[in-house]
Amino acid sequence: MELLQALNIFVTGIILGSFLNVVGLRLPKNIPFTTSRSACPHCTTPLQERDLIPLFSYLISKGKCRHCQLSISITYPLIELITGFLFLLAYINLGLSLEFAGAILLISLAVVVTVSDINYMLIPNKLLLFFAPSFIIFRTLHPLQPWYDSIYGALAGFGIIFVIIVLSKGGMGAGDMKLLGTLGILLGLKLTLLTLFLATLIGTVVSLTLLSFKVIGRKDPFPFGPSIVMAAVISYLFGFDLLQFYFETFFLGGGETIVSFF
């Protein structure tokens, strides 16, 4: 029964991932994603129902448009698969709990931000204006302990990046600032700080890798939003375990005291 439930959640993630990918591609361009039909990005031929089955349509068509035979980006099935695996990972770690519902909200935001920021270097305000109230409602129904930790998390996420923007004279974008502030509502202070640390680490590794393979140049802009949301998902699912491991490893077993102090 649990295996069937896990499979159901994985498939749901794949299906929702397909929708979230469309949102990420259309929202920054103000294209309706609920009424406007999907079309081939090359020949603009509207897609039929059989072309819109998540993952399977791509496999059946061998990654090509049925009409113009040009290749369709592999990012479409990848986003669907990754979303499915993240849903499954959240279920394995949290079960069917209220925190699992929070994870679904977080993963949904993460997917849209990743698609939007990679394609357009933009994190739409409309997106954050939807998820910020959603996180507030969720934390009202299932508050952190203490409840005002959500406020601290939001202030820390917004404030730290604001200071970085001022000191670096635009080294980071306002979208990143608003994103981390929004995530802080859900994560609270400890996990927001951990998210910023992990995001910096992830962003550094990814950017250096892309530079070494000459995918980007030294002066090319680099989207930091995907690193932030990836770090936020890691923090939400594994954050306190990571903090416990860190402090127990580097502070000679004083992990419980230090983590509770934070």
Side-chain angles (χ1 to χ4, degrees), residues 21 33 39 52-54 62 82 91 98 101-102 110 114 118 124 128 160 165 176 202 234 239 243 251:
N21 187 45
F33 50 82
L52 299 173
I53 304 172
K62 298 180 181 179
I82 290 171
Y91 170 68
L98 281 174
T114 299
I118 288 177
L128 300 180
I160 293 174
I165 291 173
D176 298 328
I202 293 169
I234 294 172
L243 288 173
F251 291 90

Side-chain angles (χ1 to χ4, degrees), residues 17-31:
S18 179
F19 171 72
L20 294 171
N21 187 45
V22 171
V23 175
L25 291 172
R26 295 188 182 184
L27 187 61
K29 300 176 73 173
N30 292 316
I31 300 174

Side-chain angles (χ1 to χ4, degrees), residues 172 192-210 222-224 226-232 234-235 242 246:
M172 292 184 69
T192 298
L193 295 176
L194 178 61
T195 294
L196 183 57
F197 169 76
L198 292 176
T200 304
L201 184 63
I202 293 169
T204 300
V205 171
V206 172
S207 61
L208 289 177
T209 301
L210 295 177
F222 176 75
F224 193 51
S227 299
I228 293 176
V229 291
M230 185 186 303
I234 294 172
S235 296
L242 289 174
Y246 174 80

